[in-house]
Amino acid sequence: MKWRYPVLAGLILALTLGAAVSQEAGVSVRDAWVRETPPGMTMMAGYMALRNNTSRSQVLVAASSSGFESVMIHRTLVKDGVARMVHESRIELTPNASLIFAPGGYHLMLMNPKRTLRAGDRVDINLEFRGGLVLPVVFEVRK
Ligand SMILES: [Cu+2]
């Protein structure tokens, strides 16, 4: 599997050159948004559509943002009619497939925003993948 390393190096180089290049290189994101919450709320949720454009699995292992104290990957599960959130330490994206983060399912749990965020504001969140790939994504705050 020697070929993997040059490919990965190419992906990382592409990311440093700008978002337009990263879109075609590995994993792309669209429809990234954060739900607006009343002022004073300590938790917000981020949603998006991830797409793995490569022919091998990509594994999301973490997310981070300078706009929040911490960011976690969560999934809402309903058991016996009760919804609860579980922490996911990794989410695998299968080759050439999409994965949707949406209310009631996968979401980014954004803890303790450093400023009040209003609809129309933008938030930078970095998605971190196994192997060192970091994808910067701009999320839009929506009602
Ligand atoms: Cu959550």
Side-chain angles (χ1 to χ4, degrees):
M1 289 299 187
K2 277 181 183 165
W3 59 272
R4 283 193 173 178
Y5 297 100
V7 169
L8 187 59
L11 288 178
I12 293 168
L13 177 64
L15 281 174
T16 62
L17 295 176
V21 179
S22 70
Q23 295 278 324
E24 55 192 80
V27 177
S28 56
V29 179
R30 61 177 176 74
D31 205 25
W33 65 287
V34 169
R35 182 182 276 166
E36 188 187 53
T37 54
M41 291 284 282
T42 57
M43 290 196 293
M44 303 180 83
Y47 307 105
M48 62 188 158
L50 278 174
R51 179 160 178 86
N52 179 3
N53 303 305
T54 71
S55 55
R56 65 188 182 100
S57 290
Q58 301 287 343
V59 183
L60 180 67
V61 293
S64 63
S65 174
S66 59
F68 298 88
E69 197 173 286
S70 67
V71 181
M72 291 202 295
I73 302 164
H74 274 186
R75 184 179 197 179
T76 300
L77 294 173
V78 179
K79 195 184 174 191
D80 299 327
V82 180
R84 65 192 178 93
M85 297 192 295
V86 294
H87 174 233
E88 298 276 350
S89 57
R90 62 195 293 286
I91 294 179
E92 184 166 348
L93 281 78
T94 52
N96 297 302
S98 296
L99 184 73
I100 309 298
F101 281 53
Y106 288 118
H107 56 279
L108 294 177
M109 198 86 254
L110 309 164
M111 306 293 294
N112 298 320
K114 292 181 180 170
R115 65 187 174 90
T116 300
L117 295 166
R118 288 272 150 253
D121 287 347
R122 283 162 190 275
V123 187
D124 295 309
I125 299 174
N126 290 324
L127 303 177
E128 300 167 21
F129 292 86
R130 188 178 66 193
L133 187 73
V134 176
L135 188 63
V137 180
V138 178
F139 284 67
E140 186 189 89
V141 180
R142 298 183 192 163
K143 294 248 179 230

